Amino acid sequence: MRLYSMPSSGNSYKVRLLLALLGRRVEVVDCEYGSADLARAKAVLPYGKVPTLVLDDGRALGESDAILWFLGEGTAFVPADPVVRAQMLAWMFWEQYNHEPVIAVRAALRTYPERAAQATPERLAELLERGHAVLQVLEDRLAGHDWLAGDAISLADICLYGYTHTAGDRGGFEMARFPAVNRWLDRVAALPGYVGLDG
């Protein structure tokens, strides 16, 4: 398989993380934001963006959470219980609709020079407030549970870890306010096979 992946992207990273935890090897093609590599890869990408996983038979899968589902099917990362599995999916949907548009966007505004014009003090302040509210949702769940869905790690944890683990450094969020989230981040980072954002 071949993975077209943006090294700095949490969406790409969560796919690389799951592959590492599963011990699966894949050819990684780095396509950083604004690079010529990304422009060249556009014809292969189903939605014109990364991550995209190209299977051995040439079929291409886009969207990070869909790729997680494909890779996780039949593994311990997908709960057997249908209710817990639905809860896992709910967290994954929540990540894309509520978490990523705030946590990842604030980090991008602070990280990518191309986004600097959009990083007004008002926009950053709004995202900071909204992001802390989003992180509090995670804190409320994790204050009484080790994992997001059920009693074991699932794709939901991999999905939410992607941008949450850099929310302090890259996004400027006050992570000390969320001790349960920080303990959860440590649990994920301690998993056998774990790789960090930088590989």
Side-chain angles (χ1 to χ4, degrees), residues 42-107:
K42 287 284 188 182
V44 181
L45 312 178
Y47 305 105
K49 61 181 185 176
V50 292
T52 289
L53 181 68
V54 179
L55 308 181
D56 292 337
D57 62 9
R59 288 181 293 174
L61 298 175
E63 291 298 326
S64 58
D65 288 355
I67 298 170
L68 290 184
W69 180 260
F70 171 78
L71 293 171
E73 194 167 18
T75 74
F77 289 97
V78 176
D81 182 276
V83 173
V84 179
R85 192 162 59 244
Q87 291 169 339
M88 175 196 75
L89 289 169
W91 278 110
M92 295 173 75
F93 299 152
W94 180 82
E95 187 264 355
Q96 286 291 286
Y97 286 111
N98 296 278
H99 181 281
E100 194 267 356
V102 178
I103 304 297
V105 167
R106 192 171 199 274

Side-chain angles (χ1 to χ4, degrees), residues 133-182:
V134 164
L135 291 166
Q136 188 61 51
V137 174
L138 288 176
E139 180 72 14
D140 292 345
R141 164 64 187 183
L142 294 166
H145 303 83
D146 285 347
W147 305 107
L148 291 173
D151 297 325
I153 190 171
S154 72
L155 295 181
D157 299 284
I158 305 303
C159 174
L160 267 300
Y161 184 85
Y163 283 112
T164 304
H165 85 292
T166 58
D169 292 341
R170 295 182 66 188
F173 294 99
E174 299 168 22
M175 297 305 292
R177 294 168 52 174
F178 309 105
V181 171
N182 288 316

Side-chain angles (χ1 to χ4, degrees), residues 12-13 23 28 30 37 44 48 55 58-59 69 80 85 89 95 114 122-123 128 132 147-148 156 171 174 192 195:
S12 290
Y13 168 61
V28 177
D30 288 337
D37 292 326
V44 181
L55 308 181
R59 288 181 293 174
W69 180 260
R85 192 162 59 244
L89 289 169
E95 187 264 355
E114 301 86 355
E122 297 79 14
R123 179 74 170 134
L128 185 66
H132 285 146
W147 305 107
L148 291 173
E174 299 168 22
V195 293

